[in-house]
Each structure stands twice: as structure tokens, then as C-alpha cells.
Amino acid sequence: MKKLFALVLALAMALSLVACSSSSSSTPAADPDPAASTPAEPAPAAAAPTDVPNAEKPVIFFNRQPSNSQTGELDMDALTFNDKTYYVGFDAVQGAELQGQMIVNYLQNQDPETLDRNGDGIIGYVLCIGDIGHNDSIARTRGARLALGTAMPDPNQGLSEVKGINDVDSQPIGTNKDGSSTTVQDGTITIGGKEFIVRELASQEMKNNSGATWDAPTAGNAINTWVGDFGDQIDVVVSNNDGMGMAVFNAWSHEAGVPTFGYDANSDAVAAIADGYCGTISQNADVQAYLTLRVLRNALDGVDIMTGISTPDAAGNVLDSSVYKYDEATRCFYALNGAVTADNYESYLDATAANPGFSNQLSEADAPTMKVWLDIFNSTDNFLNGTYLPQLENYDGVLNLDVEYIKGDGQTESNITDRLANPDAYAGFAINMVKTDNAAAYTSKLQ
Ligand code: BGC
Ligand code: CA
């Protein structure tokens, strides 16, 4: 037994070493243009924006990963636009699996008689989908279906079997009253020693008439329609995010006493856990917001990209290796996720609180103030405006970044790109796209 333990420990250590080395990478890829790697004098990083061609300035994509919205394939042209280009997001698959497990754990610990509202032996759920062309949304739909046993193989990938989360069909089903859908199947779950069928009764992309996705008011309306169609067949509500989940909770499930699950750990959703909202997932917005600006800062200063991330900076800022990972090959930073339930929600109540571990002020001497451009693609998105933006504001001053915040309407890329008309005025850019395939609409402005 002891031997086994030692072996496991050794293995774990070896693995963590591997993990560490892969996440502690340093210098960005070499600049293809030797003339561009300007004087090795002390100050090039602090140079006025006008001294640096726009095409060589730092570009950080965040929240919406440059990728093909049909296939999910990463847009490596965008991610390697220049040697100062990165993506900051969170681990969509790990978070999606966590959400699925959280839902199943909850259900397995309920009184089955209460849960199955109409006593038909079927646990019926409805699913609010954010954006069918967004990797994060796709992952969450897959994670919920996989955990609930309703997953079917994705025909778009030509699959006939589900071997893992990425194989799951993520399309909305519309409605599936009798279980005849071919996009999902009926699953089973054992609760209190009794086996129940699990059925996805309905799912829909929550897109409003103007085209904005992850739309909370649309979800609030959808639940009314669904309740009209299914009545007490609906036993559970699953949502790709809290904005939509809370819209459903407020419109119906709170009063109806129907378990509702979201994602993001926005402050209002966490507070609602005290009031019957069943759970959400924190994507560590503090870590992501810090990383977004930190990577920009490091790229501007021309220092090791992991400064203040894997290694402390001069002011003592550093991230714990358990809260993020870095994939050097694709230049992507991912925050990790944590489940927030009735057991632990109290420590998540303020989603906008600054993290003391990385709130130490940089000195002007080390990191002179620079002006940067940053957009939020949708001025009404709950997570981005209520959680992410306040977190960005916690760290912009700390990192001596004078950020111009631009807000889009959630549906028109040009509404945002038009406001990138004078890139000369900025030292770097942080980009939150409307559509994940549209990176070129931004980078072309920098050519
Ligand atoms: C969040 C959603 C949000 C979306 C916007 C996701 O990571 O979970 O709440 O609407 O980003 O892109
Ligand atoms: Ca039922």
C-alpha cells in the first residue's frame, strides 16, 4: 500500500513537473523581420506608440477565441498575427465537465419524488444555449449532455460514437416532447435507488431579433413558451451561462422551485444560491482580467511573457499555478474553473473583488503608463459587463495601463472595428470579437 502511494506520488510529481515546464515557457517566437527587432537599448519597450508600427504592437484576444465558428478549429493566422499576439480565456472543456458533474451530483442527492414533478419517471430538462458558433457555449452544451447521458455523436464530425466530450452533438434540438430527437437521446439516472429516464425536452440558442447571442431576455421569454408547452414535465433548467440562467430563474423557476444551473458565478447568481439557484461555475474572471492586461503589459515592456504570471514581478504579483495554464504552441492562456454551489458560495459572493495576490502597483520606472485599446463586444452581456469589466478595472491602474474601453452592440463587428480607426494612438490592443471567425476584421486595421 505504502509502495503504491509512493509510486502514485512520484508519478504525480513527474506529471506536475511536466505541467510546470509546459506552462512556464518564456520568450515569444522569433520575429521574422530582423529589422523589426529594434535597438536593444534599455527603453524600446517604453517607446511612444507612434514609434512602433501598428502591425508590431501587442494584440491580446480575450473571451472569444479566434476560431472557426463551424468547426471550432483555432485560427492560427490570428493567433500568430505577430510575436506579441496571445489569447486569454478559460478552459472550456474542464469547465463544461465540471458543470455537468455539478448538475448530476445535485440531482443524485435530491428526493426523487419532489424532483420528478409530474411523477412520470422522467427527469425532463430544458437547456439555454448561448451561441452555437462559440467554443465555450458548445463545450457547455456538450458537457451537460454527456453528464446527463443524453449525448449523441456529432454528425458534423462524421462520428457514430461518443468517446469524449468533444464528440458530442451540440446543436439545439428545438423541442423533444416524446424523446424522438436524433440530436439527443434519453439518458438514465439513479436517484434514491430508483432509475429515472433523463430527457432534454427543449433547447434553443438564445439569440435576439437583432442577432445578439447569449441573450438573457430571450431566455426569459423562452421559458414562458416552454412552460406553456411542457408544464410540469420540466424538472430541471440548465443554462450555458448565468445571464440566461438568472433570467429563467427570475421569470419562472425560482417561484416554481425548479432546480436551475448556470455558469460564470456572476454576483447576482451567486447571491441567488441562498435563494434556491442551484449552482454555477466560476471561470475565475479575476485571473482572466489580470492575464488579459498582464500579457499586454509584458508584451509592451518586452519582458518575459510569464512575468507576474508564473514568476513574481518586481511588485510581487504572481498567479498560483493551480488557477491557469498556458499552451505555448497556440499562445493561449486559460484560467481554470471551479464549481460554486450551496456548499461554498459564500466565498464567491463578490465576483468583482480584486485579488490581493496580483493587485500590487507597478512602478512607473518599471512599467511606464501606456494607452491601450480594449473592446467588450456586447454592452449588455451580464458576465462581461458585470464581472469581467470591473475586474479589468481592478488591474488596469495597477499595471499602469490607461485603457480606453469600447463597447459594442453584441451583433455588429463593424460597430466595434470602426472605433479602431486610429490605432496609432494606442500602444496595444485587447480584442473581444463578436464572431470568433472575425479576427482579420481587427488585425487588418493594424496592417
Ligand atoms: C461567458 C458568457 C458570455 C460569453 C460572451 C462566456 O465565457 O460564460 O456568459 O456571455 O462569454 O462571449
Ligand atoms: Ca417528470
Side-chain angles (χ1 to χ4, degrees), residues 64-113:
R64 298 173 82 88
Q65 190 170 29
S67 52
N68 182 312
S69 61
Q70 300 293 312
T71 63
E73 194 190 335
L74 295 188
D75 177 351
M76 286 310 294
D77 287 344
L79 290 164
T80 57
F81 169 65
N82 63 26
D83 66 347
K84 299 186 177 67
T85 304
Y86 297 89
Y87 169 72
V88 174
F90 64 96
D91 188 334
V93 164
Q94 179 253 347
E97 288 175 340
L98 211 54
Q99 192 194 31
Q101 282 157 17
M102 172 180 76
I103 297 167
V104 169
N105 286 346
Y106 179 91
L107 298 181
Q108 282 172 338
N109 286 300
Q110 297 310 297
D111 167 14
E113 310 306 326

Side-chain angles (χ1 to χ4, degrees), residues 26-291:
S26 48
T27 26
D31 198 310
D33 174 7
S37 28
T38 33
E41 303 307 324
T50 40
D51 295 351
V52 182
N54 290 325
E56 290 168 25
K57 292 176 180 173
V59 173
I60 315 300
F61 293 98
F62 70 97
N63 176 260
R64 298 173 82 88
Q65 190 170 29
S67 52
N68 182 312
S69 61
Q70 300 293 312
T71 63
E73 194 190 335
L74 295 188
D75 177 351
M76 286 310 294
D77 287 344
L79 290 164
T80 57
F81 169 65
N82 63 26
D83 66 347
K84 299 186 177 67
T85 304
Y86 297 89
Y87 169 72
V88 174
F90 64 96
D91 188 334
V93 164
Q94 179 253 347
E97 288 175 340
L98 211 54
Q99 192 194 31
Q101 282 157 17
M102 172 180 76
I103 297 167
V104 169
N105 286 346
Y106 179 91
L107 298 181
Q108 282 172 338
N109 286 300
Q110 297 310 297
D111 167 14
E113 310 306 326
T114 321
L115 190 63
D116 179 9
R117 294 168 71 227
N118 64 355
D120 64 351
I122 301 174
I123 304 301
Y125 74 93
V126 293
L127 173 67
C128 301
I129 294 179
D131 175 347
I132 54 168
H134 187 289
N135 283 349
D136 301 348
S137 184
I138 291 171
R140 293 172 201 174
T141 296
R142 288 178 165 157
R145 287 180 177 164
L146 191 63
L148 290 164
T150 55
M152 286 289 280
D154 184 359
N156 286 332
Q157 302 179 62
L159 298 174
S160 54
E161 200 186 337
V162 174
K163 291 197 184 132
I165 185 167
N166 291 324
D167 301 343
V168 177
D169 192 344
S170 62
Q171 287 304 304
I173 57 170
T175 58
N176 177 39
K177 206 178 178 91
D178 57 1
S180 62
S181 168
T182 52
T183 301
V184 290
Q185 64 178 3
D186 281 352
T188 54
I189 189 171
T190 305
I191 306 172
K194 187 172 167 206
E195 187 164 293
F196 289 83
I197 288 175
V198 184
R199 179 169 301 162
E200 183 168 313
L201 294 169
S203 53
Q204 174 187 320
E205 183 187 39
M206 299 303 171
K207 190 174 185 169
N208 72 13
N209 292 336
S210 334
T213 51
W214 302 90
D215 191 58
T218 303
N221 293 335
I223 192 63
N224 287 325
T225 310
W226 286 338
V227 169
D229 289 349
F230 300 107
D232 60 6
Q233 279 185 281
I234 306 174
D235 301 313
V236 179
V237 176
V238 180
S239 176
N240 281 175
N241 81 356
D242 283 336
M244 301 182 295
M246 283 300 291
V248 171
F249 186 72
N250 292 327
W252 178 71
S253 52
H254 182 205
E255 216 186 307
V258 169
T260 302
F261 300 88
Y263 198 111
D264 286 345
N266 293 332
S267 296
D268 64 331
V270 176
I273 292 181
D275 213 17
Y277 193 68
C278 289
T280 180
I281 302 291
S282 165
Q283 49 167 296
N284 283 315
D286 55 347
V287 172
Q288 288 183 72
Y290 172 75
L291 277 171

Side-chain angles (χ1 to χ4, degrees), residues 332-355:
C332 293
F333 286 86
Y334 301 101
L336 297 177
N337 304 264
V340 182
T341 64
D343 295 337
N344 64 351
Y345 76 97
E346 270 132 337
S347 54
Y348 288 88
L349 281 166
D350 185 1
T352 65
N355 190 312

Side-chain angles (χ1 to χ4, degrees), residues 52-61 81-82 85 373 420 422-424 426 428-429 431 439-447:
V52 182
N54 290 325
E56 290 168 25
K57 292 176 180 173
V59 173
I60 315 300
F61 293 98
F81 169 65
N82 63 26
T85 304
W373 185 99
L420 186 50
N422 182 21
D424 292 350
Y426 306 94
F429 310 91
I431 298 170
Y442 296 80
T443 51
S444 62
K445 299 258 175 185
L446 307 178
Q447 301 287 2

